[in-house]
Amino acid sequence: MEDTEFYGLVQEASHADTTDGAQIASEAVLETLGETLTAGEAENVATLLPGELATHLENADHDGSSYDREAFVERVGERLREAELDSDEAERYTQGVTDALAAALTRNELRDVKAQLDAGIHPLFEGVDIDRETV
């Protein structure tokens, strides 16, 4: 999967107005996700992502932050604000990026990711309905 395809999936799933918004949201969510994963798991996920996106996940501070859903989305919102994107849209962007990520990962890798996350975050990766034909 190329960067542009991933951003297209995010843009479709989050109803983002621009590809730039999808890119910023992707970076914010992947950096936050990287904080919650071990370095080894982040590396495993990164191998399934395009280069630039993989870097955001791999370079995150893998401190094992145990965010519940609210805290996870709040942390994404902080990153969106720093990038001058509307942080009020953090929930929508987070859902869009996790949908794209779920579509990009293998079933086993998605299971491994969810095993390291608070159970409240699991629904972000479920019920993914992305039509790759429209990207």
Side-chain angles (χ1 to χ4, degrees):
M1 176 181 292
E2 297 294 321
D3 291 353
T4 54
E5 182 182 5
F6 189 89
Y7 297 141
L9 293 173
V10 171
Q11 190 170 3
E12 176 193 340
S14 66
H15 307 287
D17 294 332
T18 66
T19 302
D20 287 345
Q23 180 178 354
I24 292 167
S26 297
E27 293 168 4
V29 171
L30 290 173
E31 288 171 10
T32 305
L33 182 62
E35 292 173 353
T36 67
L37 299 176
T38 63
E41 185 57 31
E43 187 176 305
N44 290 344
V45 173
T47 63
L48 300 171
L49 296 176
E52 182 180 318
L53 289 166
T55 301
H56 290 287
L57 190 62
E58 291 174 316
N59 291 343
D61 214 0
H62 306 289
D63 59 9
S65 297
S66 182
Y67 297 126
D68 62 11
R69 183 180 177 135
E70 183 178 333
F72 188 92
V73 172
E74 185 176 309
R75 182 70 178 121
V76 169
E78 290 171 10
R79 287 193 158 100
L80 294 177
R81 215 174 3 268
E82 291 169 8
E84 299 182 7
L85 202 62
D86 186 359
S87 63
D88 291 339
E89 301 297 327
E91 178 77 31
R92 181 171 57 96
Y93 282 125
T94 299
Q95 186 65 66
V97 175
T98 56
D99 281 2
L101 188 58
L105 299 179
T106 65
R107 180 174 292 153
N108 288 339
E109 194 56 52
L110 183 57
R111 183 196 65 231
D112 292 348
V113 167
K114 288 169 62 176
Q116 292 192 10
L117 300 175
D118 180 90
I121 297 176
H122 293 187
L124 289 171
F125 294 92
E126 298 167 358
V128 176
D129 186 27
I130 292 179
D131 182 5
R132 289 179 180 244
E133 298 300 319
T134 63
V135 177

